Amino acid sequence: MPAIEILGLEKTYSVGFWRKHTKRALHPLHLTVEDGEIFGFLGPNGAGKTTTLKLLMGLVFPTAGSARILDHEWTDPVVKAQIGFLPEQPYFYDHLTAHELLEYYGQLSGVPAKQRKVRVDEVLHQVGLRDVRGVQLRKFSKGMLQRVGIGQAILHNPKLVFFDEPMSGLDPMGRREVRDLMEELKHKGKTVFFSTHILSDAEALCDRVAIVHKGELRGIGAIEDLTSSVQGKVEMVWQGSLVPASIKALGAEIHVSGDRVRAIIDENQQDAVIDILRRERQRLIAVIPVRTSLETYFVEKLRRSETTAGRTA
Amino acid sequence: MKGRIAYIASNTFREAVRDRVLYNLIAFALLLSGAAILVGQISIEIEKLVVINLGLTAVSLFGVVIAIFIGIGLVSKEIEKRTLYTVLSRPVRRWEFIVGKFFGLAGTLVVNTFFMAVGVFGALFYVSHKFVRADALILVALYFIILEFLIICSLSLLFSSFSSPLLSAVFAFSLFVIGSFAEDLRNFAGMAHGISRWLATGAAYLVPNFSAFNVISSIAHEQPVASQLVVQNTLYALFYATMALSGAVLIFERRDLK
């Protein structure tokens, strides 16, 4: 059973004073997220990521299409008890303390009183806010609010968690902690759906990603599949700092650092370079096929969609 | 369901208290004690009348201002600050949110009115040195003021569910002023002819009839209030507030939270 099935959700807003003009925020989107995976929803700012999340949360209503979450209609209130949501740049009731806010959200999520008390303490500890549990949120920094946001999203032990730009406003330690938390959630069998434009986070965490741009899905797949297309080049690494002239003559891209030399060459020159290194008595350490990074794939997808849009116009 | 409404109401009440809304009580206390001391010195035999009139009018006006200025932000502020996102992504229905907010604000006003009422009775005791049986009628006036607040809360929420805070304040305050002269509007409708009669009659019955809730003057003169009026006003306030709240729910149920 997939955790999320998006069946052609689309959103068009009426704009202008008389609401006569329309702006399409999301083209019909079809997407499936499997149970227990970390799914990255990637795209530049304004791509339609937040609109998709708001549609799934019932905060905005679709122009057409539907979705199923955890095998229920996405509008079914039963679903809401089983999901957690962290909005982008979250803002909370700042008259409350971190403890009171989590307590309040626990009440709204239907967590029984006894369990709630324990769970609120656990979560405060988990997101590193135990020492400031009694401080009103109006005194919190952006990073601390982000931690509160993450805490409220996981408080009721949901099966599926939606994070909208979860690393936003966090320092490197905080980002690391969020990454660890997501992995922990996956380890516990939870499904994580998170939107981001920080590709390194997606590459480090996600089982699969989808790329959206200008409200349209541009690509979807497992990270390994998207990045596995070999570019026809290999990276050869050997010990030392000597770069034989015959290798330079092949037009290789050479990088020397410490006692390592890295040379990027065409795949068909691989045997010739190995022979040269053997002849020069250099110790070969590794031969690695150069793969497309997620960033390269992402930029390429965006560039292609820009070109297509330009041609259509 | 009941639990969620109660939690939202209690959070709304707590927010009002922590945002120092009840600080208005200090201004009220200063106004009333100042007035009591002043009329005690200058009035001859009418101190009680002045204190009751002034005290209850102040209770009403302070409450109306609070009801409008908190009420208009109850929904729009939550949308603007996006605090609603983490509430409505939980098993909370939109109508529960509106009803919870209404009860939270109404609760704040009831507590506020309670403290003001203590102040009014205190000032009354200061000028007349004793309580008489007729003073109990002040409680009826206070009850009518609370009923008035329920209508204003629901109207503020209705406007807040689709409009900006500024426009909502203008609408709500205009309705309060027009509603305070609803009897005059009805009299005018009775005298008008043709289309203006229809329009005036429609407007007279559409705006809340706040003039029916204003018994301050007659109570200050120790005139009793007919029990029929108490029942009538109670039913009218409940009906009007329910209609306005239903309107707010209908609009909010369809609203995109951009």
Side-chain angles (χ1 to χ4, degrees), chain B residues 34-44 46-48 50-51 54 127:
Chain B
I37 293 165
L38 195 69
V39 295
Q41 288 170 357
I42 60 169
S43 308
I44 310 151
I46 56 159
E47 302 95 334
K48 201 173 162 181
V50 175
V51 166
L54 183 77
V127 292

Side-chain angles (χ1 to χ4, degrees), chain B residues 101-116:
Chain B
K101 284 277 165 188
F102 170 78
F103 281 120
L105 178 55
T108 309
L109 287 162
V110 168
V111 170
N112 201 51
T113 308
F114 171 77
F115 285 115
M116 286 183 176

Side-chain angles (χ1 to χ4, degrees), chain B residues 118-139:
Chain B
V118 171
V120 171
F121 280 106
L124 196 61
F125 189 77
Y126 176 80
V127 292
S128 56
H129 308 293
K130 63 176 189 304
F131 287 124
V132 292
R133 198 180 166 82
D135 293 339
L137 285 172
I138 292 173
L139 294 175

Side-chain angles (χ1 to χ4, degrees), chain B residues 9-80:
Chain B
S10 107
N11 186 47
T12 307
F13 177 77
R14 184 157 49 178
E15 185 172 9
V17 172
R18 292 200 181 163
D19 284 346
R20 302 183 175 98
V21 168
L22 298 184
Y23 275 23
N24 77 93
L25 291 169
I26 297 171
F28 178 81
L30 286 174
L31 174 82
L32 209 63
S33 49
I37 293 165
L38 195 69
V39 295
Q41 288 170 357
I42 60 169
S43 308
I44 310 151
E45 301 299 315
I46 56 159
E47 302 95 334
K48 201 173 162 181
L49 186 86
V50 175
V51 166
I52 293 176
N53 259 311
L54 183 77
L56 291 180
T57 306
V59 171
S60 172
L61 283 179
F62 273 66
V64 167
V65 170
I66 293 172
I68 292 178
F69 284 98
I70 299 182
I72 55 167
L74 280 183
V75 177
S76 53
K77 200 175 86 182
E78 294 245 6
I79 296 175
E80 192 189 315

Side-chain angles (χ1 to χ4, degrees), chain A residues 189-204:
Chain A
K190 317 281 184 194
T191 309
V192 179
F193 181 102
F194 84 104
S195 85
T196 185
H197 59 263
I198 304 168
L199 300 175
S200 55
D201 290 339
E203 201 159 12

Side-chain angles (χ1 to χ4, degrees), chain A residues 11 54 58-61 77 80 88-89 91 93 95-96 100 104-105 107 109 138 152 156, chain B residues 7 11 14-15 18-19 78 81-83 85-88 90 93-94 253 255-258:
Chain A
K11 181 67 187 172
K54 282 184 177 176
L59 300 173
V60 295
F61 299 103
K80 301 241 176 125
E88 187 183 8
Q89 293 174 356
Y91 193 93
Y93 298 102
H95 64 282
L96 298 179
E100 286 168 344
Y104 175 54
Y105 283 143
Q107 289 169 339
S109 298
R138 57 183 58 148
Q152 61 81 32
H156 48 296
Chain B
Y7 295 138
N11 186 47
R14 184 157 49 178
E15 185 172 9
R18 292 200 181 163
D19 284 346
E78 294 245 6
K81 289 189 168 182
R82 287 173 289 157
T83 40
Y85 293 2
T86 44
V87 173
L88 293 184
R90 294 175 193 281
R93 291 174 177 88
R94 289 189 179 206
E253 286 280 354
R255 186 167 175 185
D256 277 338
L257 307 176
K258 285 187 222 172

Side-chain angles (χ1 to χ4, degrees), chain B residues 14 32 38 43-44 59 76 79 91 100 122 127 133 136 147 150 157 161 163 171 176 183 186-187 201 235 242 256:
Chain B
R14 184 157 49 178
L32 209 63
L38 195 69
S43 308
I44 310 151
V59 171
S76 53
I79 296 175
V127 292
R133 198 180 166 82
L147 290 180
L150 294 187
L157 258 168
S161 66
S163 184
F171 294 150
F176 171 68
E183 287 296 341
R186 284 176 193 196
N187 291 338
T201 309
L235 293 176
T242 308
D256 277 338

Side-chain angles (χ1 to χ4, degrees), chain A residues 38-219:
Chain A
I38 301 183
F39 189 89
F41 200 48
L42 316 180
N45 294 329
K49 305 188 295 287
T50 298
T51 302
T52 308
L53 282 168
K54 282 184 177 176
L55 283 165
L56 291 174
M57 293 302 114
L59 300 173
V60 295
F61 299 103
T63 311
S66 67
R68 287 186 74 75
I69 295 177
L70 302 171
D71 212 23
H72 291 87
E73 272 299 303
W74 92 112
T75 47
D76 190 335
V78 173
V79 168
K80 301 241 176 125
Q82 299 177 46
I83 60 172
F85 174 51
L86 166 74
E88 187 183 8
Q89 293 174 356
Y91 193 93
F92 302 105
Y93 298 102
D94 59 9
H95 64 282
L96 298 179
T97 65
H99 184 269
E100 286 168 344
L101 184 89
L102 293 186
E103 176 75 19
Y104 175 54
Y105 283 143
Q107 289 169 339
L108 293 183
S109 298
V111 181
K114 241 183 191 174
Q115 208 179 315
R116 201 163 59 225
K117 196 178 175 309
V118 177
R119 189 68 191 135
V120 166
D121 285 339
E122 261 175 24
V123 169
L124 281 170
H125 178 70
Q126 204 171 355
V127 296
L129 294 173
R130 209 178 194 173
D131 297 339
V132 286
R133 68 207 296 273
V135 177
Q136 279 190 338
L137 298 185
R138 57 183 58 148
K139 292 175 187 156
F140 272 30
S141 68
K142 200 179 165 195
M144 286 159 91
L145 284 176
Q146 192 72 5
R147 286 166 186 264
V148 174
I150 291 163
Q152 61 81 32
I154 59 169
L155 175 72
H156 48 296
N157 207 10
K159 286 183 185 165
L160 167 62
V161 191
F162 293 89
F163 290 128
D164 195 357
E165 302 284 359
M167 314 293 185
S168 162
L170 293 175
D171 56 24
M173 274 305 287
R175 291 164 71 114
R176 181 59 193 260
E177 283 165 20
V178 173
R179 280 215 286 258
D180 291 348
L181 174 83
M182 283 200 207
E183 272 167 356
E184 193 187 320
L185 288 171
K186 180 184 158 72
H187 186 67
K188 287 180 179 167
K190 317 281 184 194
T191 309
V192 179
F193 181 102
F194 84 104
S195 85
T196 185
H197 59 263
I198 304 168
L199 300 175
S200 55
D201 290 339
E203 201 159 12
L205 280 167
C206 296
D207 299 304
R208 289 194 309 138
V209 294
I211 293 171
V212 279
H213 183 42
K214 294 187 173 173
E216 272 189 276
L217 185 68
R218 307 288 180 179

